[in-house]
Structures are given as C-alpha cells and as structure tokens.
Amino acid sequence: GLMDKNALTWTLLSGLCLAMVPETLGFSPLAVPRAAFAGCGSLAAAQFMRSTSGPRMSSAQLTSDTEVLPALKETAPLKIGLMVEPTPFTHVSGYSNRYKEMLTYLQQAGDEVEIITADDTESPPTEFLGFPIDYTSGFRFALYPVISMSVDHQLKGVKMIKRLKPDILHVTTPGFMVLVCGIYAKMFGI
C-alpha cells in the first residue's frame, strides 16, 4: 500500500543522496545486510532487494517476507557497530520506534551489537535489549533543539570499532555523524 510506496521512495532517495558520498570519501555505504529492512513493508524490501541483487522476481513472488528475506537464524550472527543520532532511547518519534524494532530483529538473529549515540538527558539508559549503549558528547542543533547531534570528537566510535571489530558499521543520522562514520569505515576497512 501507501506505506510500502513511501518506504520505497525514501529508500531510493536516500540511496541517491548517499551515492554522492563514495566519490568524496571513497567508500560504499549502500551495502544491505539481511536485517536492513526489519520493520519496513515487505513490498519495499522486496523491491529494493530485487533491484540490487539476485534473480528477478515476479510481483506474485513479492507477497511476503518469507519468500524474499532469509530467516533470521539462517545466516551466521554479525558484529554490528551502530552509531545513531538523535538517540532513539530518550527521543520519542516514529524513527525511534523503527530503530527499536530493528534492534529487536538483530537480537532475534543473535547478532552482537554495540551502540553509540549522543544524548545529554539526565540518566540515559546504558543498554537496550542487552545491547550496550555508549554516549558521545553532542550539541543541540540550533534549528531543531529537541535533538542532540555529534561529530564524535571523543572518538568513541574508534574505540568501539577497535574493541568490537564489526562486520558492519551502520549509521543513522540527519546530521554530521555520517561523515565521521564514513571516515571510520574507510580507516578500518569496514
């Protein structure tokens, strides 16, 4: 329905915007792990997967996730470094709900996940679903002061990458952290 079309539209627009990043930083941010579409509509996921890899499928084959996406335990667990802003743990929004849902799927898949985010609220959580959360200092964005953003000047991302040695470094941000994570990915060959 409409939700699937909107998800697909945003996925494609995000891909177009990110297509410019490799030219600048020399890395490819468009890798799609198995849980990338957790929580989004099956049609959007199927259409994206169909457009990026594997054999072509008819629209009749795109009716359910079980026909397109592997079972969560079908592949080996991954080590995933997540860097996200604004924090989905104290900032309430639809984005926060989707992010928490993604973490639920990663937990069900048995993946090892470490999270870094910026949050200046009093007593933010230190874990979610057993996944550790570390905080890097940030700043309130002047045009939208509800959210805290960061450039990870404390290098918490570097420390996490050295400790975890992630298979995937996933960044979710409307701001500057994407550039920092691009540099980290290039530095560590992720």
Side-chain angles (χ1 to χ4, degrees):
L2 180 60
M3 190 173 219
D4 287 334
K5 288 180 185 174
N6 286 341
L8 179 61
T9 300
W10 282 111
T11 299
L12 294 175
L13 285 174
S14 298
L16 289 174
C17 291
L18 286 175
M20 295 180 286
V21 174
E23 294 174 21
T24 307
L25 298 174
F27 75 99
S28 177
L30 299 178
V32 181
R34 63 179 149 67
F37 289 100
C40 92
S42 62
L43 180 60
Q47 287 175 332
F48 184 83
M49 296 299 277
R50 185 178 84 177
S51 69
T52 57
S53 66
R56 298 290 180 206
M57 297 178 208
S58 69
S59 55
Q61 291 174 304
L62 299 176
T63 57
S64 77
D65 286 336
T66 57
E67 294 174 347
V68 177
L69 302 176
L72 290 173
K73 296 281 187 175
E74 191 173 305
T75 58
L78 297 171
K79 291 181 179 180
I80 303 172
L82 299 177
M83 296 185 70
V84 58
E85 61 181 12
T87 179
F89 307 108
T90 58
H91 177 74
V92 178
S93 66
Y95 145 81
S96 173
N97 295 337
R98 287 189 309 273
Y99 198 84
K100 289 176 181 176
E101 187 69 7
M102 177 188 72
L103 289 171
T104 300
Y105 280 94
L106 294 176
Q107 181 191 45
Q108 290 172 6
D111 294 329
E112 184 178 347
V113 178
E114 289 191 24
I115 305 159
I116 296 178
T117 188
D119 191 345
D120 60 1
T121 61
E122 196 172 310
S123 302
T126 58
E127 63 89 28
F128 182 78
L129 299 175
F131 299 135
I133 304 169
D134 197 5
Y135 294 91
T136 187
S137 63
F139 57 92
R140 292 287 169 165
F141 188 54
L143 298 174
Y144 191 54
V146 175
I147 62 174
S148 181
M149 302 181 83
S150 177
V151 292
D152 192 30
H153 70 277
Q154 294 176 301
L155 302 178
K156 298 269 184 130
V158 169
K159 294 171 189 167
M160 179 262 297
I161 291 168
K162 285 181 176 181
R163 181 179 56 253
L164 180 64
K165 297 179 180 25
D167 301 305
I168 297 171
L169 182 60
H170 176 86
V171 60
T172 305
T173 175
F176 313 105
M177 198 178 281
V178 70
L179 298 174
V180 173
C181 287
I183 294 167
Y184 291 167
K186 183 69 174 175
M187 282 174 45
F188 291 97
I190 302 172

